[in-house]
Amino acid sequence: MKVFPSFFFTVVFEMIHNNLDDTICAIATALSPSGLSVIRVSGKDSIGVVDKMFKSVKEGFCLENVDSHSIHYGYIVDNSGKTVDEVLVLVMRAPRSFTAEDTVEIDCHGGIFVTEYILNLCINNGARLADPGEFTKRAFVNGRIDLSAAEAVCDLINAKNDFAHDSAMDQVKGRLYDEISLLRDEIITDTAFIEAALDDPEHYSVDGFSEILGRNVDKWVDKVCSFVNKSRSGMLLKEGISTAIVGKPNVGKSSIFNLLCGRQRAIVTDIPGTTRDVLDTQVRMGQIILNITDTAGIRDADDEVEKIGVEKSREMIQKADLVLFVCDVSGKIDDADRDIFNKLHGVPVIVLANKCDTGSNIYSLNELSNEFGEGVPIILFSARTGSGLDELENKILKMFFEGNLNYNDEVTVTNIRQVNALKKCLESLGKVKESILMNMEEDFFTIDLMDAYNALGEITGETAGDDLIDNIFGKFCMGK
């Protein structure tokens, strides 16, 4: 188990020291009818809290006397002596637990009533209900994990594909912490040398050091830029590509939406203007996640409700990472199609030439290229048969991920807070480079070097403020 330095405790101790002595409890599994539920209790009195309501099948048994990481069979009984449930109790003594505190987990049957009954018994016996993310927060405060690993716990729970899972596991294991710590160590070493030379010029000389520092700054910038450049595609893989399906009425947008959903979500008729509001869903195409919006057909509408839908469609185009422009190649590409398409400049577009299965008089790819321009990705598509789906996935891969999802086992930052901290670091390093090129005094270097150092510390939690810590853990689920 990786143990992090004591600064993690001191950084936020003043913020929550009044709560650190509390023993907390929560339901750690989804609250629903199921085979099993887990109630987690953590804190200095956790073993005593559970001991008050746990009755072992062994005579004279006391939970306080058991070894760490041991499991015990018995029953939970309430204060009246009523047997509540047959359970297994797992005891983990500090510091060998997730929170680095004494922790007890109660495995009970998964009924909602019995799970809440046992949770209330924990509260009645001296624990309090944990805040969202408080178990992970304590792991961070007690030096069990760094802040990037703590955030990755939440990402791991919410992972929707292999990439999101693997990226989160890398950070849970501390790979990002290791990379960031190495950068910070190098920055603080050079900063300390400059400070020492300024304080004791007889023993330390800065002659020629600007050239050395310049080379180091270039190296650090390359590393941080690598993180930032990969973050965009990483976040799209993790969170999904915001995708708007647009086109004029009755070209098959809702049929394509239903096809991608794998079920009937949108109403499909031959009547133009059937879709009057935007419909949202999240779908997977292989390892790609698409956050898809089916929009109202764009046209000059007389109906007030349809007008609102058309305006929403135009708004969604501006917000989208990708637009799927749908046209009907069984009819004629007209000015209405061209007008909509011409308003899509600046947004990544794939043309879905729908209804290609309806007859022989359909547009060819060359004809469509002449209509929409050379280099525009065009797919002959059929919402009825699903023809073109594989090609659509391949074009999205090429457009956003250079044709593949191979990240060569590199650490990828997919958290916007961490990306912003990296950008702050780059800004500060850029100022250091400017100072070097302007032949400024060395003490100017240290100010910006420390800003870069502190920006990186926001990622691992070493320079994170109280409000930030509360905000991060407040987004976690209960029991974690």
Side-chain angles (χ1 to χ4, degrees):
M1 179 180 74
K2 180 174 288 190
V3 178
F4 293 88
S6 60
F7 61 72
F8 286 101
F9 182 81
T10 57
V11 163
V12 291
F13 176 77
E14 292 299 327
M15 173 180 64
I16 57 172
H17 73 278
N18 290 329
N19 295 329
L20 283 176
D21 287 338
D22 293 351
T23 296
I24 57 175
C25 63
I27 300 167
T29 47
L31 190 58
S32 62
S34 59
L36 178 72
S37 283
V38 176
I39 295 97
R40 177 179 289 160
V41 188
S42 184
K44 65 178 184 179
D45 297 326
S46 58
I47 297 174
V49 165
V50 178
D51 196 34
K52 293 175 185 176
M53 59 191 197
F54 177 67
K55 183 178 180 181
S56 172
V57 294
K58 299 178 181 177
E59 289 293 330
F61 179 87
C62 177
L63 205 61
E64 298 273 15
N65 299 328
V66 303
D67 294 333
S68 181
H69 291 75
S70 57
I71 299 176
H72 308 277
Y73 167 71
Y75 300 89
I76 295 294
V77 296
D78 65 15
N79 295 337
S80 69
K82 173 184 174 181
T83 300
V84 178
D85 196 14
E86 181 183 28
V87 299
L88 290 174
V89 170
L90 168 62
V91 176
M92 294 169 282
R93 295 188 181 275
R96 297 170 56 208
S97 71
F98 178 69
T99 60
E101 302 171 329
D102 285 350
T103 301
V104 180
E105 291 186 356
I106 303 169
D107 292 358
C108 65
H109 290 96
I112 295 174
F113 177 80
V114 70
T115 304
E116 291 185 333
Y117 199 136
I118 295 173
L119 179 68
N120 285 325
L121 286 176
C122 292
I123 295 170
N124 292 338
N125 286 331
R128 69 164 170 84
L129 189 63
D131 294 329
E134 189 168 0
F135 291 94
T136 311
K137 186 177 186 178
R138 290 188 175 204
F140 164 68
V141 171
N142 293 328
R144 170 69 174 75
I145 56 177
D146 77 291
L147 191 57
S148 66
E151 290 177 293
V153 170
C154 198
D155 291 340
L156 187 62
I157 293 170
N158 296 314
K160 299 179 180 70
N161 56 23
D162 287 343
F163 171 81
H165 169 270
D166 294 347
S167 178
M169 274 307 306
D170 276 346
Q171 293 201 31
V172 167
K173 292 188 292 187
R175 285 192 61 195
L176 180 59
Y177 171 83
D178 291 341
E179 299 257 15
I180 296 300
S181 292
L182 180 61
L183 277 171
R184 295 185 87 230
D185 286 346
E186 293 178 357
I187 292 171
I188 201 65
T189 297
D190 281 4
T191 306
F193 177 81
I194 295 171
E195 293 285 3
L198 294 173
D199 290 341
D200 187 7
E202 292 184 7
H203 295 91
Y204 299 96
S205 173
V206 292
D207 291 344
F209 185 72
S210 292
E211 294 181 10
I212 298 172
L213 180 61
R215 289 194 293 270
N216 287 342
V217 169
D218 289 340
K219 180 182 69 172
W220 301 331
V221 166
D222 287 345
K223 184 64 177 178
V224 177
C225 279
S226 175
F227 282 134
V228 173
N229 292 339
K230 289 189 299 181
S231 66
R232 166 67 174 167
S233 56
M235 284 189 283
L236 288 175
L237 265 177
K238 172 190 165 188
E239 302 293 344
I241 301 169
S242 177
T243 306
I245 304 176
V246 304
K248 69 183 185 183
N250 247 37
V251 292
K253 298 185 302 299
S254 293
S255 296
I256 291 173
F257 180 79
N258 289 336
L259 174 68
L260 293 172
C261 290
R263 58 194 176 95
Q264 190 82 9
R265 277 287 314 276
I267 298 172
V268 178
T269 74
D270 292 330
I271 303 171
T274 300
T275 302
R276 297 185 170 208
D277 201 354
V278 295
L279 294 176
D280 297 306
T281 194
Q282 188 173 83
V283 302
R284 284 183 58 179
M285 296 184 70
Q287 287 295 308
I288 303 170
I289 299 171
L290 299 180
N291 300 314
I292 297 182
T293 301
D294 179 27
T295 65
I298 298 175
R299 64 173 178 172
D300 293 328
D302 296 324
D303 183 275
E304 285 300 316
V305 176
E306 188 180 352
K307 281 183 180 179
I308 295 171
V310 171
E311 186 57 35
K312 285 186 177 181
S313 298
R314 293 192 173 105
E315 291 176 5
M316 292 308 302
I317 291 171
Q318 301 304 315
K319 297 177 181 177
D321 299 312
L322 169 66
V323 170
L324 301 180
F325 173 73
V326 183
C327 59
D328 180 356
V329 292
S330 68
K332 185 174 179 60
I333 304 296
D334 58 21
D335 288 341
D337 294 298
R338 297 183 189 100
D339 183 57
I340 296 170
F341 181 80
N342 289 335
K343 292 177 180 177
L344 301 179
H345 289 305
V347 182
V349 178
I350 296 176
V351 174
L352 298 184
N354 193 33
K355 304 183 184 181
C356 69
D357 59 316
T358 55
S360 58
N361 296 321
I362 62 170
Y363 283 75
S364 68
L365 284 175
N366 284 336
E367 290 171 319
L368 290 168
S369 291
N370 290 333
E371 283 284 355
F372 300 116
E374 291 292 334
V376 175
I378 301 171
I379 300 173
L380 292 176
F381 201 87
S382 170
R384 186 176 67 84
T385 67
S387 174
L389 270 178
D390 289 342
E391 189 177 353
L392 176 60
E393 180 182 351
N394 290 333
K395 286 192 183 297
I396 294 173
L397 277 172
K398 185 176 181 180
M399 184 176 288
F400 289 93
F401 309 110
E402 298 179 353
N404 65 77
L405 299 179
N406 180 16
Y407 277 77
N408 300 317
D409 200 33
E410 297 176 346
V411 175
T412 305
V413 178
T414 59
N415 179 300
I416 189 63
R417 183 194 72 83
Q418 296 168 6
V419 172
N420 287 336
L422 289 167
K423 290 179 178 178
K424 284 169 62 177
C425 174
L426 280 176
E427 183 180 346
S428 297
L429 291 176
K431 292 178 180 178
V432 176
K433 191 69 175 177
E434 288 177 11
S435 297
I436 294 172
L437 294 174
M438 294 171 64
N439 295 315
M440 298 183 73
E441 296 295 327
E442 284 75 10
D443 52 351
F444 282 95
F445 304 163
T446 61
I447 297 171
D448 295 317
L449 284 171
M450 285 306 301
D451 285 344
Y453 177 81
N454 289 329
L456 293 175
E458 291 178 13
I459 296 173
T460 58
E462 290 152 274
T463 57
D466 299 356
D467 292 341
L468 174 62
I469 300 297
D470 283 340
N471 181 265
I472 289 172
F473 290 105
K475 296 176 182 176
F476 277 54
C477 59
M478 292 294 293
K480 193 61 187 173

